[in-house]
Amino acid sequence: MNTIQKIIAGICIMAIPFLGSCGKDDPVSCNYTTEVQAEANAFSAAANLYATDPSTANCNAYRVSAQNYHDALEDHRSCATVAGQQAEFQAALDNLQVSINSIQC
């Protein structure tokens, strides 16, 4: 498994608790699986493309899509607070941002 795949796998593993943590009983809309799905799909596609063709353009697209995914997740901070998972949510976002910042194109 190359470095990019390890980063993606780590991010996905860290995101799992947050993707399903908010349910329909919560007072705010917290359906991560649908609300950040477009960004998650774009991030995954960009990562796969960069893994198969590590060009500068694909690296930049990968980094931008990762940042867009991070930003989309960050928009759901209130959901994590309602679910009592603010600390875990922040740690996952911080880890993702560190990973994004380490991408060298």
Side-chain angles (χ1 to χ4, degrees):
M1 188 179 284
N2 65 32
T3 303
I4 295 169
Q5 291 171 329
K6 289 179 184 176
I7 291 171
I8 293 169
I11 291 167
C12 291
I13 289 169
M14 288 184 299
I16 288 171
F18 306 110
L19 292 175
S21 66
C22 298
K24 56 188 164 197
D25 295 334
D26 293 332
V28 295
S29 174
C30 294
N31 190 352
Y32 286 96
T33 56
T34 58
E35 294 176 12
V36 300
Q37 190 63 52
E39 291 85 355
N41 289 343
F43 178 40
S44 178
N48 288 331
L49 182 60
Y50 180 55
T52 60
D53 179 13
S55 68
T56 301
N58 288 343
C59 179
N60 287 326
Y62 169 60
R63 185 175 17 188
V64 167
S65 66
Q67 190 64 55
N68 290 342
Y69 179 62
H70 174 277
D71 295 346
L73 286 172
E74 193 166 281
D75 289 342
H76 297 286
R77 182 177 309 280
S78 62
C79 181
T81 301
V82 168
Q85 297 181 340
Q86 181 64 31
E88 295 90 348
F89 184 82
Q90 188 61 52
L93 282 179
D94 291 346
N95 288 335
L96 176 55
Q97 190 63 58
V98 167
S99 296
I100 293 167
N101 293 344
S102 71
I103 299 170
Q104 300 294 318
C105 296

